[in-house]
Every structure is written in structure tokens, then in C-alpha cells.
Amino acid sequence: MTKTILPGQTIGIIGGGQLGRMMALAAKEAGFKIAVLDPAMDSPTGQVADIQIVGPFNDQHALEELAEASDVITYEFENIDVEGLSNLAKIAYVPQGSELIRVTQNRIFEKQAISEASVVVTDYITASSFEELKEKSHQLSFPFVVKTARGGYDGKGQQTVSSMEELSLVEELFANGDCVAEAFVEFTKEISVIIQRNVHGETAILPIGENIHKDHILHETIVPARIDKKTSDEAKRAAEKIAAHLEMVGTLAVEMFVLENGSILVNELAPRPHNSGHYSIEATNISQFHQHIRAICGWPLRQPILWSQAVMVNVLGEHIAPLASKIAQFPNWSIHLYGKDEAKQKRKMGHVTILTEDLEATLSEIDASGIWSE
């Protein structure tokens, strides 16, 4: 069953973070109303919503209240109770369903799905206990990375192992359940392909971003990614295969490694708008958030066009004060702050997007500003 959701109707969002906030702002431009479910009273999305439902994400009564208030429901993060989402889909219109969440919140299921889509992933092994990992460890060469199958983000829930002697470092990860060990990949770049698909199966892909990380947290996205056309085409084909295999609706960010020979390996998936797509608010003719709203509402998608080269830089808690002191020096910077209550160390508080004719000069300008210095 598909529906066309029209301006004046209400879009429900599970999750009140910055992605929901930017979805909500895009939706409100077109005249939609917004209902949000989040445990916090003054969440970033709640600040711009028409209806706030305060409660845990797995609270059946809160989910029923969201269903009652909404004409269509989406989500802004993947750590949702799959059973709760599946039950919600029985009483409300949830075009994305729950299968995409089930697959992407478990790294083992995710890798299996990517492989089933005939897309290459890093060599890996799975283990349900530390003893099993020890028995299978000879199947991978050192170093390799051990990650919890569920949970973990921005470098949390993972550990690099360089030798048999270091293997004991990962034993505590099994307290969270199954783990996956991935071969360490010698890559030249990390890129992300954001593909969006509506309820009619129409797809669109944003210009590919090149991602720079610091301390396992995304620092900068450079657009267009500095890759050749062959790599770009291969990356897009991989994203299209995965989206088609999963029959996804909405937004899927496919994070990839670019190898020395220009080929790609898929690293992981995120079933929602993605940090690396924030540049699209200023730099393309359709942002990832506007396109996501079109996709879940049954509207035709717009084929993205890049207006300008761009660099997006994340603003973490420790960057808020230096950024505020230097805003007047950089009139060409677009500053987005998310309305979070406390500027904690390493917490994503906002981002800056800079449209540019000279990427290298802009990257130098960012460094020279001193805002993101160590």
C-alpha cells in the first residue's frame, strides 16, 4: 500500500535529534505539520515540531499516540526497537517498514545483505563468544578490527587488534553479544553515497562526498569527492544494487573505502539522512532532507545537481566557543546549530558548510581559523 501525503497533513518522526530537526524544517517549508516522539521534552526536533510526544522509543502507548497524530511516520536514527516499529506499521502508515532497520542495526545481517546484493565487503568473520573468535582468528591476517554486531557509533564498540597478544583487548566487547571481525583495509579515501528511493521505486543519488575523520568522528566532507569517474560510477552502482536488494524507501547512506586501484569496498550502511549529506542543504538543488520527505510522502524525486563545490565541517562541543568568537570573520560560512542543551566534548552540536571555487584554499582556511585545532 502506498499513499501520497499532501501539505497540511502530519509527518511523524521517531527520534528528536538533529536529523529529525532538519527533516522537520524541510517538511514545514512545504506546509506539512510535524509530530515527534523523543524521551526529551526540549529535543532539537521538538523545538520545531507542532506536536511533541515525550516518551521512550519502545513505549507502546507513546507509539500509538504518534500513530494517532500522524499521516505518515519516519525515523531519524536506527537504534529503534524493531518489534515496536513492526507493530506500529500495523496501525499506522510507515512506508519504510521495519526490515531495513532490522538489517542495518546488526553488522552481521548488514554484511550478509550487502553480499547478497552482489556488492563486495571487507573480509570478515563472525563470533558469538570470545572463545569462538580465538578459534576463527587465523582466518584473518593481523591487524583486524573487532566490532560489536549491535550498537556502537563514532568509534565506540570496536577495537583494533594487531597481534594474538592483543586479542584479549576485545573480550569485553562480547558482553554486548555477537561480534564481527573485519580485515584491516589499506584504503586511500573514505566516501559516502547517499541514495534515496520513494515508495514507487524511483531513486536519486546525491553527489558523492569524501569523508575525513578525526578520532573516529566525521570531521569534514568534501564535495565532490576527489575520485575518478570509474570509481564514482562503481560506487553509485553498488549503492543502487543495495537499495534495490533491500527494497528500501527513504534514505540510505552507503559508506565505502576507495582502494589504491580505484575500486571500492562497502564499509557500512545508515538507513537515514547522514552527516556526510548535510552539505546538500546549500550546495545542491535538493537537500537530503527535502528529498527524504518527498520519498516517504510518495512525491516524485528530484535529480540532484551540485551548484558548487563545498566543504562541510562538523561542530563538536569543544568548537562552539571558538566558532562563536569568529563568526564575523567568515561571511561565506553557513552555520547550522542544532539546539542541543549542553556543549559536551565530542558531541555533535552543529556544522558549517562552505561553498567554494577552490577546495584546497577552503580546506586551508578551515585549518587556519583555529576553530578545529587540536
Side-chain angles (χ1 to χ4, degrees):
M1 176 188 68
T2 63
K3 296 181 183 179
T4 301
I5 308 300
L6 298 173
Q9 292 185 278
T10 300
I11 297 172
I13 302 174
I14 301 173
Q18 65 264 24
L19 300 177
R21 179 190 182 94
M22 288 182 272
M23 270 185 214
L25 291 171
K28 288 177 83 71
E29 283 183 22
F32 290 104
K33 293 174 182 167
I34 298 295
V36 62
L37 169 61
D38 193 86
M41 173 61 76
D42 193 37
S43 67
T45 311
Q47 293 165 16
V48 299
D50 301 279
I51 301 167
Q52 283 193 76
I53 300 166
V54 179
F57 299 122
N58 61 353
D59 184 310
Q60 191 60 37
H61 295 297
L63 288 167
E64 288 172 3
E65 192 177 343
L66 183 68
E68 184 67 28
S70 307
D71 296 292
V72 61
I73 294 175
T74 185
Y75 46 78
E76 64 112 41
F77 74 125
E78 55 265 53
N79 292 320
I80 303 171
D81 178 64
V82 173
E83 187 178 351
L85 188 62
S86 180
N87 289 334
L88 180 65
K90 295 172 184 174
I91 60 170
Y93 182 47
V94 187
Q96 292 163 278
S98 60
E99 179 63 10
L100 184 61
I101 287 288
R102 186 191 72 81
V103 169
T104 55
Q105 68 181 203
N106 185 302
R107 288 187 171 96
I108 297 172
F109 298 164
E110 182 175 279
K111 288 182 181 301
Q112 290 170 345
I114 295 166
S115 298
E116 288 166 3
S118 301
V119 174
V120 182
V121 296
T122 315
D123 289 340
Y124 71 97
I125 54 176
T126 65
S128 56
S129 68
F130 180 62
E131 292 304 317
E132 185 180 0
L133 178 66
K134 280 200 294 188
E135 289 172 12
K136 289 183 171 180
S137 60
H138 68 277
Q139 296 176 29
L140 294 177
S141 300
F142 292 107
F144 54 77
V145 184
V146 181
K147 301 177 180 178
T148 55
R150 292 176 60 88
Y153 63 95
D154 290 345
K156 299 177 178 66
Q158 61 180 263
Q159 174 70 50
T160 301
V161 179
S162 300
S163 65
M164 251 343 253
E165 290 71 36
E166 289 186 5
L167 201 59
S168 60
L169 295 173
V170 309
E171 188 166 6
E172 63 185 27
L173 293 180
F174 285 91
N176 294 317
D178 295 353
C179 288
V180 57
E182 302 173 357
F184 191 78
V185 177
E186 291 288 347
F187 58 89
T188 60
K189 283 182 172 62
E190 292 182 64
I191 61 173
S192 52
V193 181
I194 296 175
I195 184 167
Q196 299 181 290
R197 185 173 184 270
N198 69 11
V199 295
H200 307 297
E202 179 188 8
T203 61
I205 296 177
L206 280 175
I208 298 174
E210 174 185 339
N211 299 325
I212 312 290
H213 290 81
K214 282 187 178 180
D215 299 325
H216 300 289
I217 300 172
L218 181 64
H219 170 52
E220 291 172 333
T221 297
I222 299 162
V223 187
R226 294 169 294 185
I227 55 177
D228 62 27
K229 185 177 185 301
K230 182 181 176 187
T231 299
S232 174
D233 290 346
E234 183 182 346
K236 289 176 182 176
R237 279 196 302 273
E240 287 168 344
K241 285 181 180 178
I242 295 166
H245 175 72
L246 293 172
E247 298 182 337
M248 52 81 64
V249 171
T251 303
L252 184 70
V254 186
E255 298 181 67
M256 308 180 187
F257 296 129
V258 180
L259 307 185
E260 188 70 47
N261 64 3
S263 64
I264 58 101
L265 285 176
V266 171
N267 180 31
E268 61 183 19
L269 309 177
R272 50 168 171 74
H274 194 259
N275 196 168
S276 64
H278 291 351
Y279 76 88
S280 61
I281 296 172
E282 281 84 18
T284 65
N285 63 328
I286 181 82
S287 80
Q288 65 171 338
F289 301 102
H290 289 84
Q291 194 88 289
H292 182 82
I293 296 302
R294 297 178 78 92
I296 63 164
C297 289
W299 292 20
L301 302 186
R302 185 178 300 166
Q303 290 306 309
I305 298 169
L306 187 66
W307 293 137
S308 167
Q309 298 179 115
V311 180
M312 186 284 303
V313 200
N314 268 334
V315 176
L316 306 182
E318 60 267 34
H319 306 139
I320 288 288
L323 175 65
S325 70
K326 296 184 179 182
I327 284 175
Q329 298 176 29
F330 301 103
N332 295 327
W333 291 13
S334 296
I335 294 167
H336 298 254
L337 296 177
Y338 303 147
K340 293 184 178 180
D341 56 354
E342 188 180 350
K344 296 178 183 175
Q345 187 91 356
K346 303 300 178 192
R347 187 185 194 192
K348 291 174 183 173
M349 302 298 294
H351 70 270
V352 172
T353 300
I354 308 164
L355 305 187
T356 179
E357 295 180 357
D358 187 333
L359 282 173
E360 296 304 324
T362 297
L363 292 169
S364 297
E365 177 183 81
I366 291 164
D367 290 340
S369 74
I371 295 166
W372 291 274
S373 300
E374 292 297 332

